[in-house]
């Protein structure tokens, strides 16, 4: 089942897309509203299934009249994996890691499907990175690889848009990965039972203005989803609602000759069969001071 966090401009809600492409939604305050996705994910697969049943009788809506929010608004941890495709390591001049390269994103950097990715006014090196997201639904620590996928409630898409000159200023990538409005997330949280185990064997494609710039299979990951869940849980308790952003394949703009960076007016799409299309325009950062979080 495919769930989304949405707003109609005045109310937030939850939507589902049925197999025939019909979108139905309920909003906070309406009878039968099952709660937001953060709450449902924390409550587990049964709660999501009940929400799906409640939404089956909701009004049909045109998705064009909805604004998509990041599927999860209150993720405790957004754990990103760098260099998780061998070809991406090679194009950047890095050795293929023998242990996952982990860095963090924060909720203030996130935007939803259809919302603008914000190119910082301090940089012209705004790069794209299409990725698959795994969402934890069952908490755990020291999780064996053999049962790791039991802890994943669903999957989504991410564009880990990176401010490369800031990212490369230090060995730690945090600043260049956390400018406001640079992490596109969504549109759907697709339950794990609707996809191949571990999201294996799916084609990931990123397009900039309709031109394919990244294309790979999720089977090309150095560390698959089960390995990432197990390995991360060696160090920390993974909690329901935590997000693992699993890495990007080759084709990023900084490695191209000539280099290819996103600019205002561009459209960047990330697509994985079964997960849909995450599409975002690119806009220039507002020059007003104290603008706060990008909506």
């Amino acid at each position: 089942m495919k769930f989304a966090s949405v707003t109609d401009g005045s109310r937030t809600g939850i939507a589902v897309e049925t197999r025939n492409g019909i979108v139905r939604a309920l909003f906070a305050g309406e009878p039968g509203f099952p709660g937001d996705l953060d709450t449902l994910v924390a409550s587990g697969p049964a709660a999501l299934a009940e929400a799906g049943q409640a939404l089956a009788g909701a009004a049909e809506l045109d998705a064009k009249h909805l604004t998509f929010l990041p599927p999860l608004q209150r993720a405790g941890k957004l754990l990103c994996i760098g260099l998780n495709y061998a070809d991406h390591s090679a194009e950047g001049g890095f050795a293929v890691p023998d242990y996952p390269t982990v860095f963090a994103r924060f909720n203030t950097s996130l935007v939803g499907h259809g919302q603008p990715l914000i190119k910082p006014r301090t940089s012209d090196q705004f790069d794209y990175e299409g990725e698959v997201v795994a969402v934890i639904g069952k908490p755990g620590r020291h999780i064996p690889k053999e049962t790791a996928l039991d802890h994943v409630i669903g999957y989504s898409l991410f564009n880990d848009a990176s401010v490369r000159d800031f990212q490369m200023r230090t060995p730690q990538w945090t600043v260049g990965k956390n400018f406001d409005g640079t992490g596109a997330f969504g549109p759907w949280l697709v339950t794990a039972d609707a996809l191949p185990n571990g999201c294996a064997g799916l084609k990931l494609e990123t397009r900039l203005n309709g031109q394919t710039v990244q294309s790979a299979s999720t089977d090309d990951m150095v560390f698959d989803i089960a390995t990432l869940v197990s390995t991360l849980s060696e160090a920390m308790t993974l909690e329901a609602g935590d997000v693992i952003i699993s890495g990007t394949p080759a084709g990023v703009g900084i490695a191209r000759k000539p280099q290819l960076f996103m600019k205002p007016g561009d459209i960047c799409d990330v697509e994985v069969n079964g997960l849909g299309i995450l599409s975002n325009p690119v806009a220039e950062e507002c020059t007003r001071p104290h603008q706060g979080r990008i909506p």
Side-chain angles (χ1 to χ4, degrees), residues 239-256:
E239 300 172 311
D242 285 349
V243 170
I244 300 172
I245 303 162
S246 64
T248 201
V252 296
I254 194 173
R256 291 174 172 267

Side-chain angles (χ1 to χ4, degrees), residues 5-260:
S5 296
V6 297
T7 176
D8 64 359
S10 60
R11 304 169 298 171
T12 57
I14 184 171
V16 293
E17 183 183 71
T18 64
R19 291 180 180 176
N20 56 6
I22 293 174
V23 175
R24 301 181 185 277
L26 286 169
F27 294 91
E30 290 186 328
F33 177 65
D36 60 35
L37 266 180
D38 290 271
T39 301
L40 293 170
V41 166
S43 299
L48 269 183
E50 289 177 10
Q53 293 174 359
L55 286 157
E60 180 180 340
L61 296 174
D62 187 339
K64 294 179 181 178
H65 297 152
L66 296 172
T67 296
F68 283 81
L69 304 171
L72 300 176
Q73 308 288 301
R74 303 187 300 275
K77 295 188 281 294
L78 297 158
L79 302 168
C80 303
I81 310 300
L83 309 177
N84 199 26
Y85 288 76
D87 57 0
H88 178 51
S89 295
E91 72 176 353
F94 295 96
V96 176
D98 57 10
Y99 187 87
T101 301
V102 183
F103 59 94
R105 262 196 183 264
F106 307 114
N107 286 303
T108 49
S109 73
L110 302 182
V111 296
H113 165 73
Q115 301 307 296
L117 287 164
I118 305 300
K119 187 194 84 64
R121 61 179 183 266
T122 55
S123 174
D124 290 320
Q125 296 189 13
F126 194 37
D127 210 346
Y128 50 83
E129 290 193 6
E131 312 200 18
V132 169
V133 167
V135 176
I136 299 298
K138 176 183 175 183
R141 178 87 196 279
H142 298 301
I143 300 168
K145 181 179 177 180
E146 294 73 22
T147 58
L149 294 179
D150 295 342
H151 292 257
V152 177
I153 199 168
Y155 297 88
S156 190
L157 296 173
F158 205 87
N159 190 343
D160 184 32
S162 305
V163 186
R164 295 298 191 192
D165 44 351
F166 281 81
Q167 178 189 351
M168 300 305 178
R169 285 185 179 183
T170 74
Q172 299 293 327
W173 298 344
T174 303
V175 171
K177 297 286 191 172
N178 277 285
F179 276 67
D180 283 354
T182 61
F185 182 17
W188 305 104
L189 171 67
V190 183
T191 54
D193 59 2
L195 293 162
N197 211 28
C199 247
L202 300 181
K203 180 182 179 181
L204 186 159
E205 184 171 278
T206 305
R207 297 182 294 273
L208 186 61
N209 299 322
Q211 175 188 353
T212 298
V213 288
Q214 293 181 291
S215 183
S217 169
T218 54
D219 287 346
D220 296 337
M221 288 184 191
V222 177
F223 306 102
D224 62 16
I225 299 297
T227 299
L228 292 174
V229 171
S230 179
T231 302
L232 290 168
S233 77
E234 291 175 344
M236 64 193 81
T237 299
L238 295 178
E239 300 172 311
D242 285 349
V243 170
I244 300 172
I245 303 162
S246 64
T248 201
V252 296
I254 194 173
R256 291 174 172 267
K257 295 181 181 179
Q259 292 178 330
L260 177 65

